[in-house]
Amino acid sequence: MLKRLETRLTNQNMFTDDKTSMCIRRERTQITNFWFKYTHPKYEHLSIRLNPLTTFTSLFIIIAFIIWCICEPQHAQDIFLELKKDITHLFTWLYIGSQDIRTVFIIWLYFSKYGKCKLGKDNDEPEFSDAEWFSMLFACGIGIGLFFFSVSEPLRHYTISDTLPTNRYVSDAYMPDNTLAQIALTITYYHWGLHAWVVYCVVGIILAFTSFRWDLPLTMKSCFYPLIGEKIFGWLGDSIDILSIITTIFGVCTSLGIGAIQVNAGLNFLVPSISVSTPVQMMIIWTITFCATISVVSGLRRGIRRISQASFIIGVSLLLVVLFLDQPQYILNLFIQTIGFYIQNIIQLSFHTDAFEQLSPSYGAKDRGRMDSTSDGESNWMNEWTVFYWSWWIAWSPFVGAFIAKISRGRTIREFIHGALTAPVLFSFFWLTVFGGSGIKMERTAAERGLCCPNWNTTYLTLIPHDKIDDKESWGEYICDGGVCNPCSASLIDGHQFENGYKNLTAKILGTAGYGSTVMVGNQQITRLSCHGKEAMWFYLMASYGNIYGSVLSVVSMFGLFLYLLTSSDSGSLIIDTLASNGDNEPPVTQRIFWALVEGGCATSLLAAGGQSALVAIQTASIVAAFPYTLILNILCVSIYIALVQESRNENDPNYDPPAFSIGLLDFVTTWQPRLMKETLKNVFLGPYNCGKCLARINHSKHPFVWQITLSMLLIGLPVFYAIEIQLGIPGSSSIAWTCYLGFVFYVTGARVLLRLACKIPGNMIADFFICLFLWPTVVVQMKEHIDSGALNIVPHAPDHDSLDSRLDKASIDSEMDNIAKLYSSFGTTSNSQPQKTEHHENSLV
């Protein structure tokens, strides 16, 4: 039905009409997706339109997981922290390397001919002005992170922390202090720069392209349409949307909970009578949720757009006021200098994985005439910083990428990258320079005045027994954390005048915020920022600009924080509802309210029952869930390339229809054909036998035994050598096991490439390798089915090169055949004959 509709409209040249485009998109969504619909006869806003499988499965998993985190918050946190640690230890190379690959890909895409391709129909125009568009995507993508981390992160990289690992630069006692300050800001640039925002670009580009140009629903499953086609309309596509909804809910829920804690800390700083407590934080969450509900009901244009603009204006106002209240020449000098330092060091920074730090301390350094091994960075620094950042950005990519795609219709890919990568990165850099540079300057000023970091235990100060009022030697037992005063606290106690015993000292500690680390100079408050948490750092910096301006800046900051949290909540609710309703552009109001309340309810429940441990458990779970998304984002880069190449070819040759395999790689799970499922299960064990037969038929050989024996030995080597290491305790056997498996994968890859070349099926060797690495049983079934279908037509004698298609790229075919020959010879086997040389395309996976 849908194909007949598209054919009829195409013949009438009606695809350029916006209403027709929307009609096709609506028809595609209605016909191919699973729906539950209820239309209220009187009140349209009480209607329901949703995908029940996606919605109820997501809700069940979310509720079950949150109940677990509420009942056993510490246990859940410990499990996910251990998982996070294991993932970091084993896959740091994957996080770092894939982030670099995606960055290079987006930069290439910007400068390529595909940069002028429009995310929509050729006559579509942007729905929002550049300023409105940028303010919405920036407010959604950045949240409240820049407020707190812009001051705290450079200082954490610049100073030694008691709670966070020390990096390799701070550990170097011979590093000049100015150089260390510069490196600290450059690392912060790295964590908030190109490599961070590029994940949003990848998701946003492919989703906007497939939704607005190909009229697919605005859901995450549409990103995979260039790879698996109509198979996205089924349980496989719904599974992708379920994972996206869960990840988004966890991310927004965590931001609401932790954001409420941070706002509560800010309110306590401004008004000490407002306690830092769970009831206050719950009130903050429900205030944000109430406002977010009103915003999301108002819609994208009236609600979210206006709040995003207000958030952005407040942020820019704070930025400019602090710039001119501080030393503008210092800030501008630092900005230009750090940009140059970033450009100079970005390649080294972006490829650094802390390989030696994670290995072990550098034992024997003294024997080699080097410095003491304690000058090395800590082994878990990468886990706590860079990998944490990449995981958190990736966890937010489905939500933010989908939101940016939703507001980007009518823009070219080059314009999209300008707005979603170049502009936010430059703005973030300037923001980090203003607030991070000011924070480092204050840290140095405080150190110049002798301020330090005491470890007062204010909770137990009033518990000092009356008989020990004048016993200075026993005060530390009560005044300092852990019963031991650090050098800073000890020096403050020793320098205190004890005319009134401990009472005078207690009054100063309890009555002066940051006593020992803060001093008033005129009307300016100087603070040793590194002594405080990231929330307090921001407000101490604001307070340093005088009693009047400091108070105003702090209040405006609180309002800005509230609006940025509100923007994250309402845009998250909108995207979750869109995903749950099969990409409906205007889902019913009832559903929008429901998802907004779910976010607030989840955050409140976690905070009330499990406290911050439950929130950290959810946050860590989001980061762990980002691991598969790391692989998915790499696949989406391939999807973008295939989609753009296909679009380009369709424009040049509308009748272009390249050959393809007779069955798809995922047909055994998407079509539920018992025969294919049975064949796939059989090939888990008989794969070497069938792959050897395929190789023999491709190479005109009647003797497949050499291939079958070689493949069998390689595949059997995987469990055998693993068993040897586990049962006999022979170390290194697992390495041989994986070598055998990779050898097997190389053989299957070679067979698939040979079959593609013989049948003129588009593809490339790299994609074939990764497909065979994870899906080799289905690859063998696909090859066997294709050969049995009679599609393979090999001439037994040498091919007549003059009769080949004039468009044949003989050089590329010869090169690939040479590579395959080398591949076989490296494992002791060479093919008996060369397959027929055929046309080779490089724009498809299957």
Side-chain angles (χ1 to χ4, degrees):
M1 175 181 174
L2 179 61
K3 291 186 178 297
R4 289 198 301 271
L5 172 67
E6 292 182 351
T7 302
R8 179 168 56 84
L9 294 175
T10 303
N11 292 336
Q12 297 175 4
N13 295 320
M14 294 175 64
F15 266 120
T16 57
D17 184 81
D18 288 342
K19 293 183 179 178
T20 303
S21 174
M22 290 298 295
C23 173
I24 293 174
R25 179 176 180 180
R26 186 164 51 250
E27 289 296 328
R28 182 192 297 274
T29 304
Q30 301 295 326
I31 293 170
T32 55
N33 280 308
F34 185 28
W35 282 98
F36 172 79
K37 299 180 182 180
Y38 166 73
T39 302
H40 195 279
K42 192 173 181 180
Y43 301 106
E44 173 62 26
H45 59 274
L46 295 179
S47 300
I48 297 175
R49 294 190 302 274
L50 53 82
N51 182 325
L53 179 63
T54 302
T55 301
F56 296 122
T57 305
S58 303
L59 278 175
F60 175 78
I61 295 173
I62 290 165
I63 293 172
F65 192 85
I66 285 176
I67 290 174
W68 176 46
C69 291
I70 288 173
C71 296
E72 299 184 4
Q74 192 59 49
H75 181 57
Q77 181 181 347
D78 292 342
I79 288 177
F80 284 108
L81 284 175
E82 190 63 31
L83 278 173
K84 176 173 168 280
K85 181 180 177 182
D86 292 341
I87 288 173
T88 303
H89 177 69
L90 295 173
F91 297 105
T92 296
W93 58 272
L94 178 63
Y95 279 101
I96 302 298
S98 61
Q99 206 78 341
D100 292 328
I101 291 172
R102 288 189 287 268
T103 303
V104 172
F105 174 75
I106 291 297
I107 293 173
W108 168 83
L109 190 61
Y110 176 84
F111 289 103
S112 72
K113 65 179 181 179
Y114 302 116
K116 62 183 179 181
C117 184
K118 185 166 281 192
L119 303 175
K121 300 297 185 290
D122 291 336
N123 60 342
D124 283 349
E125 295 297 329
E127 298 180 63
F128 304 98
S129 68
D130 291 344
E132 292 172 338
W133 178 58
F134 177 73
S135 65
M136 283 193 287
L137 72 87
F138 186 82
C140 174
I142 213 68
I144 63 172
L146 268 185
F147 274 83
F148 294 116
F149 284 101
S150 60
V151 180
S152 66
E153 184 176 349
L155 282 169
R156 293 305 187 205
H157 299 320
Y158 178 57
T159 60
I160 296 176
S161 171
D162 295 332
T163 58
L164 292 172
T166 303
N167 62 49
R168 59 192 180 279
Y169 303 107
V170 175
S171 300
D172 185 357
Y174 295 91
M175 173 74 70
D177 198 68
N178 287 342
T179 304
L180 182 59
Q182 181 62 75
I183 290 174
L185 198 54
T186 305
I187 294 175
T188 309
Y189 269 30
Y190 169 49
H191 289 157
W192 294 86
L194 293 172
H195 290 72
W197 283 87
V198 76
V199 296
Y200 298 162
C201 285
V202 171
V203 176
I205 288 173
I206 184 60
L207 193 52
F209 183 86
T210 54
S211 297
F212 301 136
R213 194 161 186 90
W214 288 359
D215 302 305
L216 292 168
L218 189 69
T219 61
M220 285 299 297
K221 62 189 173 190
S222 296
C223 299
F224 296 86
Y225 187 85
L227 301 174
I228 60 177
E230 299 290 334
K231 296 181 181 66
I232 65 169
F233 299 110
W235 72 267
L236 187 60
D238 289 338
S239 300
I240 295 170
D241 287 342
I242 289 169
L243 178 61
S244 302
I245 290 173
I246 293 170
T247 306
T248 301
I249 279 282
F250 285 171
V252 176
C253 175
T254 305
S255 293
L256 270 178
I258 295 179
I261 294 173
Q262 294 170 340
V263 170
N264 190 188
L267 289 172
N268 175 257
F269 181 88
L270 294 173
V271 185
S273 60
I274 299 178
S275 63
V276 178
S277 62
T278 300
V280 174
Q281 293 156 10
M282 291 172 64
M283 288 177 61
I284 293 171
I285 289 175
W286 281 111
T287 302
I288 293 170
T289 301
F290 176 74
C291 296
T293 303
I294 295 175
S295 172
V296 79
V297 167
S298 301
L300 186 60
R301 287 188 168 275
R302 288 181 295 174
I304 297 175
R305 182 180 62 159
R306 298 304 183 194
I307 295 174
S308 299
Q309 288 174 327
S311 305
F312 188 71
I313 290 171
I314 288 175
V316 171
S317 301
L318 285 170
L319 184 73
L320 295 177
V321 170
V322 171
L323 171 66
F324 292 111
L325 280 177
D326 212 291
Q327 297 180 12
Q329 69 278 10
Y330 158 70
I331 298 296
L332 295 175
N333 284 340
L334 183 60
F335 178 64
I336 298 300
Q337 178 174 299
T338 309
I339 287 289
F341 211 85
Y342 174 80
I343 294 172
Q344 179 185 356
N345 293 277
I346 184 58
I347 294 179
Q348 187 274 333
L349 273 177
S350 62
F351 283 87
H352 190 87
T353 60
D354 268 3
F356 291 111
E357 285 80 0
Q358 292 185 13
L359 181 65
S360 66
S362 53
Y363 297 115
K366 288 185 177 180
D367 300 337
R368 294 184 291 274
R370 307 298 297 171
M371 296 180 295
D372 184 44
S373 61
T374 56
S375 63
D376 296 330
E378 295 184 37
S379 60
N380 62 333
W381 185 88
M382 189 67 66
N383 175 46
E384 295 294 333
W385 285 103
T386 303
V387 173
F388 168 80
Y389 263 116
W390 294 165
S391 300
W392 192 236
W393 285 96
I394 290 169
W396 274 67
S397 63
F399 150 48
V400 179
F403 180 77
I404 297 175
K406 189 177 182 70
I407 63 176
S408 299
R409 181 172 189 155
R411 298 184 182 274
T412 65
I413 290 178
R414 193 167 288 126
E415 290 172 342
F416 184 96
I417 296 174
H418 265 310
L421 184 65
T422 310
V425 165
L426 290 176
F427 184 82
S428 299
F429 283 176
F430 193 63
W431 180 286
L432 292 168
T433 305
V434 171
F435 296 104
S438 300
I440 291 175
K441 182 172 73 71
M442 179 183 283
E443 179 75 9
R444 287 184 165 191
T445 303
E448 178 187 4
R449 293 188 170 273
L451 299 178
C452 56
C453 299
N455 61 332
W456 306 127
N457 190 344
T458 56
T459 305
Y460 295 99
L461 276 176
T462 57
L463 299 181
I464 300 177
H466 189 269
D467 60 346
K468 295 184 179 181
I469 287 177
D470 296 317
D471 184 6
K472 291 201 321 182
E473 298 300 326
S474 62
W475 281 10
E477 179 181 346
Y478 301 95
I479 293 179
C480 302
D481 286 329
V484 178
C485 291
N486 63 15
C488 178
S489 299
S491 65
L492 289 169
I493 292 173
D494 292 340
H496 182 68
Q497 300 296 323
F498 290 94
E499 291 83 358
N500 298 317
Y502 83 95
K503 293 182 180 179
N504 192 16
L505 178 60
T506 302
K508 284 191 175 183
I509 295 173
L510 296 178
T512 305
Y515 177 70
S517 63
T518 300
V519 67
M520 291 298 298
V521 180
N523 70 337
Q524 185 180 14
Q525 179 176 296
I526 305 298
T527 303
R528 193 74 181 260
L529 295 176
S530 58
C531 302
H532 303 278
K534 62 178 180 294
E535 299 89 2
M537 283 187 191
W538 174 271
F539 291 104
Y540 275 116
L541 179 63
M542 296 299 103
S544 69
Y545 295 107
N547 294 331
I548 298 176
Y549 290 120
S551 300
V552 172
L553 287 172
S554 297
V555 171
V556 173
S557 297
M558 287 300 307
F559 192 56
L561 285 170
F562 182 85
L563 288 182
Y564 271 101
L565 271 175
L566 177 57
T567 303
S568 297
S569 179
D570 58 12
S571 54
S573 302
L574 180 64
I575 291 303
I576 291 170
D577 194 13
T578 302
L579 293 173
S581 57
N582 290 324
D584 193 337
N585 265 339
E586 292 293 334
V589 172
T590 308
Q591 293 170 212
R592 302 184 213 175
I593 296 173
F594 171 76
W595 286 111
L597 296 178
V598 166
E599 291 173 6
C602 290
T604 304
S605 302
L606 287 166
L607 196 60
Q612 194 160 0
S613 294
L615 287 170
V616 172
I618 288 286
Q619 183 184 41
T620 311
S622 299
I623 292 170
V624 171
F627 176 69
Y629 257 105
T630 303
L631 303 174
I632 289 173
L633 285 171
N634 294 338
I635 296 172
L636 293 189
C637 291
V638 179
S639 184
I640 292 172
Y641 177 74
I642 292 176
L644 293 174
V645 170
Q646 182 178 341
E647 182 71 16
S648 177
R649 279 181 169 167
N650 287 341
E651 289 178 356
N652 297 329
D653 183 7
N655 298 319
Y656 176 73
D657 186 19
F661 285 105
S662 56
I663 64 170
L665 283 172
L666 301 177
D667 281 1
F668 77 104
V669 290
T670 57
T671 61
W672 297 107
Q673 296 184 36
R675 184 182 66 81
L676 288 180
M677 296 181 71
K678 182 179 178 181
E679 285 295 318
T680 303
L681 292 175
K682 283 171 55 178
N683 275 283
V684 173
F685 305 99
L686 300 178
Y689 174 79
N690 287 323
C691 187
K693 287 178 64 177
C694 292
L695 277 167
R697 294 183 65 179
I698 295 171
N699 287 279
H700 320 300
S701 174
K702 297 181 180 180
H703 306 289
F705 310 114
V706 175
W707 286 294
Q708 290 172 337
I709 293 172
T710 303
L711 287 164
S712 298
M713 291 177 64
L714 289 172
L715 185 59
I716 293 172
L718 178 65
V720 168
F721 282 104
Y722 252 112
I724 290 174
E725 178 162 319
I726 295 172
Q727 297 297 325
L728 303 180
I730 300 177
S733 298
S734 59
S735 302
I736 300 176
W738 283 110
T739 302
C740 290
Y741 179 71
L742 287 177
F744 172 78
V745 171
F746 284 141
Y747 262 96
V748 179
T749 301
R752 191 172 197 268
V753 171
L754 288 171
L755 183 58
R756 279 197 305 98
L757 294 173
C759 298
K760 299 186 179 183
I761 298 174
N764 64 80
M765 185 182 292
I766 296 176
D768 289 334
F769 170 76
F770 284 105
I771 290 172
C772 296
L773 183 65
F774 299 105
L775 298 172
W776 65 264
T778 63
V779 170
V780 175
V781 172
Q782 186 186 58
M783 292 192 298
K784 183 175 179 297
E785 292 288 325
H786 193 69
I787 293 173
D788 291 345
S789 70
L792 182 62
N793 183 19
I794 299 179
V795 183
H797 55 76
D800 181 6
H801 294 282
D802 294 333
S803 65
L804 293 176
D805 194 314
S806 60
R807 294 177 297 168
L808 175 63
D809 186 355
K810 297 180 180 180
S812 65
I813 300 300
D814 290 339
S815 175
E816 185 158 5
M817 295 301 294
D818 290 341
N819 290 335
I820 296 168
K822 291 177 183 177
L823 181 67
Y824 281 125
S825 63
S826 66
F827 285 92
T829 307
T830 56
S831 56
N832 296 330
S833 60
Q834 297 290 335
Q836 181 181 357
K837 297 180 180 179
T838 56
E839 183 177 4
H840 177 58
H841 305 280
E842 299 190 16
N843 68 317
S844 178
L845 278 178
V846 294

